[in-house]
Amino acid sequence: MTEHFPSKIGLSQQFSCSYLPEQQEQLLVILDHNCYTPERFEGLLELGFRRSGDQIYRPHCPKCNACQSLRLPTYDFTQSKSQKRKWNKLNNEFSIVESHEERPNYYPLYEKYISLRHRDGSMFPPNHLQYESFLFCRWLPITFIELWHFDKLVAVAVTDTMPNSLSAIYTFFDPDYESYSLGTVMILAQIDYAQRAKKQYLYLGYQIDSCKKMKYKSHYKPAQRFINDIWVNSDTNTTKKTANK
């Protein structure tokens, strides 16, 4: 996939890792403007990159390689018994809607979610500029997968949309509905949307096995991890696809 590899890459300064506090984080940042299209970005996803706001990056830490990009082959995915129970718990009172435009009621929901669920995180206290600069993108189409309880918006999964794949950027939900396991439900909703839209992969971002906050990602199978520039089956550790031919 050398046709996707960028010609200009920058290296950020080192800063404290928000997931492993004892480590220093450093990022490769794409500076080649030709890469900022859905098609080229999809090739970079296959090389372990991701986006935050308008910027494409990949961890390149000096003394740590714990971050591994994770993706689900959506055609092979089947729900576990636990996931089926959580999915079926959404009775006729709930509905899922896909939107391609931001709605005014997104930010109040995001603000409530960060304030009540992540007071100890780097995104607290929330503000509108942070919300926009983190979630949105000027060069990439975004699908907002919404969960409604009657006429009340209770969850949004911000999802990047490429020709052959989706990338889960961030999900926020109403903490009052925590008993419905909305974090799990919204990933299942993204998988369902990917299957219906005939997208081959759903990228779930980076997995760090020693980080408790990321344990939930290991519950979706079969999954593939990007290890030493090769996609391998997460369960059997066998090679699935070489990403840099």
Side-chain angles (χ1 to χ4, degrees):
M1 254 179 223
T2 53
E3 71 272 16
H4 291 295
F5 204 81
S7 60
K8 297 179 182 178
I9 301 179
L11 186 63
S12 75
Q13 294 181 338
Q14 295 183 29
F15 50 95
S16 296
C17 177
S18 56
Y19 294 104
L20 301 175
E22 72 279 7
Q23 296 291 346
Q24 288 291 299
E25 183 175 356
Q26 198 166 24
L27 304 175
L28 289 178
V29 181
I30 301 300
L31 303 178
D32 184 350
H33 295 293
N34 293 322
C35 293
Y36 285 78
T37 68
E39 295 78 13
R40 295 295 297 275
F41 178 55
E42 187 164 50
L44 290 169
L45 280 169
E46 292 192 32
L47 296 173
F49 285 85
R50 188 162 171 77
R51 80 152 181 96
S52 178
D54 286 325
Q55 193 171 72
I56 302 172
Y57 72 95
R58 188 174 86 174
H60 189 74
C61 304
K63 297 181 180 179
C64 180
N65 59 359
C67 288
Q68 296 172 346
S69 187
L70 189 72
R71 72 182 182 185
L72 301 176
T74 58
Y75 301 143
D76 298 332
F77 175 78
T78 55
Q79 294 182 2
S80 68
K81 290 182 180 179
S82 174
Q83 290 163 351
K84 284 181 181 179
R85 285 195 299 269
K86 293 171 181 177
W87 184 252
N88 292 334
K89 194 174 180 180
L90 298 180
N91 51 39
N92 293 332
E93 298 177 358
F94 291 86
S95 59
I96 295 175
V97 177
E98 291 96 30
S99 173
H100 300 286
E101 294 184 0
E102 179 198 8
R103 300 184 196 269
N105 51 354
Y106 287 178
Y107 179 72
L109 181 61
Y110 171 87
E111 185 178 51
K112 181 177 181 180
Y113 174 75
I114 296 296
S115 297
L116 296 182
R117 287 289 300 261
H118 294 287
R119 294 183 64 88
D120 60 341
S122 60
M123 293 190 293
F124 181 83
N127 62 72
H128 209 283
L129 178 61
Q130 166 220 62
Y131 159 81
E132 290 182 344
S133 62
F134 168 46
L135 295 179
F136 301 107
C137 183
R138 291 173 291 185
W139 51 268
L140 185 69
I142 297 174
T143 301
F144 302 96
I145 300 177
E146 306 168 348
L147 180 67
W148 292 78
H149 183 225
F150 295 118
D151 60 351
K152 181 180 180 181
L153 179 68
V154 297
V156 179
V158 182
T159 313
D160 287 349
T161 307
M162 282 69 62
N164 193 43
S165 60
L166 301 177
S167 180
I169 295 301
Y170 198 68
T171 293
F172 50 94
F173 57 84
D174 190 332
D176 294 343
Y177 288 78
E178 189 168 4
S179 63
Y180 287 93
S181 304
L182 294 190
T184 296
V185 164
M186 296 311 288
I187 291 182
L188 295 176
Q190 288 173 304
I191 296 170
D192 177 69
Y193 175 65
Q195 292 172 335
R196 288 186 285 107
K198 302 187 185 306
K199 306 295 186 182
Q200 186 175 5
Y201 297 111
L202 171 64
Y203 288 84
L204 292 179
Y206 297 113
Q207 170 72 14
I208 300 176
D209 288 340
S210 59
C211 179
K212 292 182 180 180
K213 292 181 179 180
M214 293 187 175
K215 287 290 186 182
Y216 72 93
K217 295 183 183 181
S218 64
H219 299 157
Y220 302 88
K221 300 177 180 180
Q224 298 174 10
R225 296 192 189 205
F226 193 62
I227 302 174
N228 296 326
D229 293 333
I230 294 175
W231 286 101
V232 300
N233 186 294
S234 184
D235 295 321
T236 64
N237 206 38
T238 56
T239 300
K240 295 296 290 184
K241 180 178 180 180
T242 302
N244 57 352
K245 290 182 179 177

